[in-house]
Short mmCIF file of all heavy atoms in Angstrom, two decimals:
data_model
loop_
_atom_site.label_atom_id
_atom_site.label_comp_id
_atom_site.label_asym_id
_atom_site.label_seq_id
_atom_site.Cartn_x
_atom_site.Cartn_y
_atom_site.Cartn_z
N ILE A 9 40.18 -93.60 53.58
CA ILE A 9 40.98 -92.39 53.79
C ILE A 9 42.12 -92.66 54.76
O ILE A 9 43.25 -92.22 54.55
CB ILE A 9 40.08 -91.24 54.30
CG1 ILE A 9 39.05 -90.85 53.22
CG2 ILE A 9 40.92 -90.03 54.70
CD1 ILE A 9 38.11 -89.76 53.65
N ARG A 10 41.84 -93.43 55.84
CA ARG A 10 42.89 -93.70 56.82
C ARG A 10 44.03 -94.50 56.21
O ARG A 10 45.20 -94.17 56.39
CB ARG A 10 42.28 -94.45 58.01
CG ARG A 10 41.50 -93.56 58.96
CD ARG A 10 41.10 -94.28 60.22
NE ARG A 10 39.98 -95.18 59.97
CZ ARG A 10 40.00 -96.49 60.18
NH1 ARG A 10 41.11 -97.07 60.62
NH2 ARG A 10 38.94 -97.22 59.98
N ILE A 11 43.69 -95.54 55.45
CA ILE A 11 44.74 -96.38 54.86
C ILE A 11 45.46 -95.63 53.74
O ILE A 11 46.69 -95.67 53.63
CB ILE A 11 44.15 -97.69 54.33
CG1 ILE A 11 43.46 -98.46 55.46
CG2 ILE A 11 45.23 -98.55 53.69
CD1 ILE A 11 44.38 -98.84 56.59
N GLY A 12 44.70 -94.91 52.90
CA GLY A 12 45.32 -94.16 51.80
C GLY A 12 46.28 -93.10 52.31
O GLY A 12 47.38 -92.91 51.77
N TRP A 13 45.89 -92.39 53.38
CA TRP A 13 46.76 -91.37 53.97
C TRP A 13 48.00 -92.00 54.58
O TRP A 13 49.11 -91.47 54.47
CB TRP A 13 45.96 -90.59 55.02
CG TRP A 13 46.78 -89.60 55.80
CD1 TRP A 13 47.15 -89.71 57.10
CD2 TRP A 13 47.34 -88.38 55.33
NE1 TRP A 13 47.90 -88.62 57.49
CE2 TRP A 13 48.02 -87.78 56.40
CE3 TRP A 13 47.31 -87.73 54.10
CZ2 TRP A 13 48.68 -86.58 56.30
CZ3 TRP A 13 47.97 -86.52 53.99
CH2 TRP A 13 48.64 -85.95 55.06
N ARG A 14 47.83 -93.17 55.21
CA ARG A 14 48.97 -93.86 55.81
C ARG A 14 49.95 -94.31 54.74
O ARG A 14 51.17 -94.19 54.91
CB ARG A 14 48.47 -95.06 56.61
CG ARG A 14 49.57 -95.79 57.37
CD ARG A 14 48.98 -96.92 58.19
NE ARG A 14 47.99 -96.41 59.14
CZ ARG A 14 47.19 -97.19 59.87
NH1 ARG A 14 47.28 -98.51 59.75
NH2 ARG A 14 46.34 -96.66 60.71
N TYR A 15 49.45 -94.80 53.60
CA TYR A 15 50.34 -95.21 52.52
C TYR A 15 51.10 -94.02 51.93
O TYR A 15 52.26 -94.13 51.58
CB TYR A 15 49.53 -95.91 51.41
CG TYR A 15 49.19 -97.36 51.70
CD1 TYR A 15 48.34 -98.06 50.86
CD2 TYR A 15 49.71 -98.01 52.81
CE1 TYR A 15 48.02 -99.39 51.12
CE2 TYR A 15 49.40 -99.32 53.08
CZ TYR A 15 48.54 -100.01 52.23
OH TYR A 15 48.24 -101.32 52.49
N MET A 16 50.42 -92.87 51.83
CA MET A 16 51.06 -91.73 51.21
C MET A 16 52.20 -91.17 52.06
O MET A 16 53.23 -90.75 51.53
CB MET A 16 50.02 -90.61 50.96
CG MET A 16 50.53 -89.50 50.05
SD MET A 16 49.62 -87.96 50.24
CE MET A 16 50.17 -87.40 51.82
N ARG A 17 52.03 -91.22 53.38
CA ARG A 17 53.06 -90.65 54.26
C ARG A 17 53.92 -91.73 54.90
O ARG A 17 54.64 -91.45 55.87
CB ARG A 17 52.42 -89.80 55.35
CG ARG A 17 51.50 -90.56 56.29
CD ARG A 17 50.81 -89.62 57.27
NE ARG A 17 49.92 -90.34 58.15
CZ ARG A 17 50.29 -90.89 59.31
NH1 ARG A 17 51.53 -90.77 59.71
NH2 ARG A 17 49.42 -91.53 60.06
N ALA A 18 53.89 -92.95 54.32
CA ALA A 18 54.66 -94.05 54.89
C ALA A 18 56.15 -93.73 54.84
O ALA A 18 56.64 -93.13 53.88
CB ALA A 18 54.37 -95.34 54.14
N ARG A 19 56.87 -94.15 55.88
CA ARG A 19 58.32 -93.92 55.93
C ARG A 19 59.04 -94.84 54.95
O ARG A 19 58.54 -95.91 54.60
CB ARG A 19 58.84 -94.16 57.35
CG ARG A 19 58.29 -93.17 58.36
CD ARG A 19 58.85 -93.47 59.73
NE ARG A 19 58.34 -92.51 60.72
CZ ARG A 19 58.64 -92.55 62.01
NH1 ARG A 19 59.45 -93.51 62.47
NH2 ARG A 19 58.15 -91.65 62.84
N ARG A 20 60.23 -94.46 54.57
CA ARG A 20 61.00 -95.22 53.59
C ARG A 20 61.74 -96.36 54.30
O ARG A 20 62.96 -96.31 54.50
CB ARG A 20 61.99 -94.29 52.87
CG ARG A 20 61.30 -93.10 52.22
CD ARG A 20 62.30 -92.14 51.64
NE ARG A 20 61.64 -90.97 51.08
CZ ARG A 20 62.27 -89.96 50.50
NH1 ARG A 20 63.61 -89.98 50.44
NH2 ARG A 20 61.62 -88.94 50.03
N SER A 21 60.99 -97.39 54.66
CA SER A 21 61.60 -98.49 55.41
C SER A 21 62.44 -99.40 54.54
O SER A 21 63.31 -100.10 55.02
CB SER A 21 60.50 -99.31 56.10
OG SER A 21 59.57 -99.79 55.14
N THR A 22 62.19 -99.40 53.24
CA THR A 22 62.97 -100.23 52.31
C THR A 22 63.41 -99.40 51.14
O THR A 22 62.92 -98.28 50.92
CB THR A 22 62.13 -101.43 51.81
OG1 THR A 22 61.05 -100.94 51.01
CG2 THR A 22 61.57 -102.23 52.97
N GLN A 23 64.33 -100.01 50.37
CA GLN A 23 64.80 -99.28 49.18
C GLN A 23 63.68 -99.06 48.20
O GLN A 23 63.56 -98.01 47.60
CB GLN A 23 65.93 -100.07 48.52
CG GLN A 23 66.55 -99.37 47.32
CD GLN A 23 67.71 -100.15 46.75
OE1 GLN A 23 68.09 -101.18 47.26
NE2 GLN A 23 68.29 -99.62 45.69
N ARG A 24 62.81 -100.07 48.06
CA ARG A 24 61.68 -99.92 47.14
C ARG A 24 60.73 -98.85 47.61
O ARG A 24 60.28 -98.01 46.83
CB ARG A 24 60.94 -101.25 47.00
CG ARG A 24 59.74 -101.17 46.05
CD ARG A 24 58.97 -102.47 45.99
NE ARG A 24 59.80 -103.52 45.41
CZ ARG A 24 59.39 -104.78 45.27
NH1 ARG A 24 58.18 -105.14 45.68
NH2 ARG A 24 60.18 -105.68 44.73
N ASN A 25 60.42 -98.86 48.91
CA ASN A 25 59.53 -97.82 49.44
C ASN A 25 60.13 -96.43 49.25
O ASN A 25 59.43 -95.47 48.96
CB ASN A 25 59.27 -98.06 50.93
CG ASN A 25 58.28 -99.17 51.16
OD1 ASN A 25 57.54 -99.55 50.26
ND2 ASN A 25 58.27 -99.74 52.37
N GLY A 26 61.45 -96.34 49.44
CA GLY A 26 62.10 -95.05 49.24
C GLY A 26 61.99 -94.57 47.81
O GLY A 26 61.74 -93.39 47.57
N PHE A 27 62.13 -95.48 46.86
CA PHE A 27 62.02 -95.09 45.45
C PHE A 27 60.59 -94.67 45.12
O PHE A 27 60.36 -93.68 44.42
CB PHE A 27 62.46 -96.25 44.55
CG PHE A 27 62.44 -95.91 43.10
CD1 PHE A 27 63.35 -95.02 42.56
CD2 PHE A 27 61.48 -96.48 42.26
CE1 PHE A 27 63.33 -94.70 41.21
CE2 PHE A 27 61.45 -96.15 40.91
CZ PHE A 27 62.38 -95.27 40.39
N VAL A 28 59.60 -95.43 45.64
CA VAL A 28 58.19 -95.08 45.40
C VAL A 28 57.88 -93.72 45.99
O VAL A 28 57.21 -92.88 45.38
CB VAL A 28 57.26 -96.17 45.98
CG1 VAL A 28 55.81 -95.71 45.91
CG2 VAL A 28 57.44 -97.48 45.23
N SER A 29 58.39 -93.47 47.21
CA SER A 29 58.16 -92.16 47.83
C SER A 29 58.81 -91.04 47.02
O SER A 29 58.26 -89.94 46.91
CB SER A 29 58.71 -92.16 49.26
OG SER A 29 58.06 -93.12 50.04
#
Side-chain angles (χ1 to χ4, degrees):
I9 295 178
R10 283 189 284 121
I11 301 299
W13 174 251
R14 185 177 301 171
Y15 280 173
M16 192 201 72
R17 63 184 179 88
R19 294 180 179 178
R20 304 174 183 180
S21 57
T22 66
Q23 183 177 358
R24 179 183 295 178
N25 283 342
F27 183 70
V28 172
S29 298

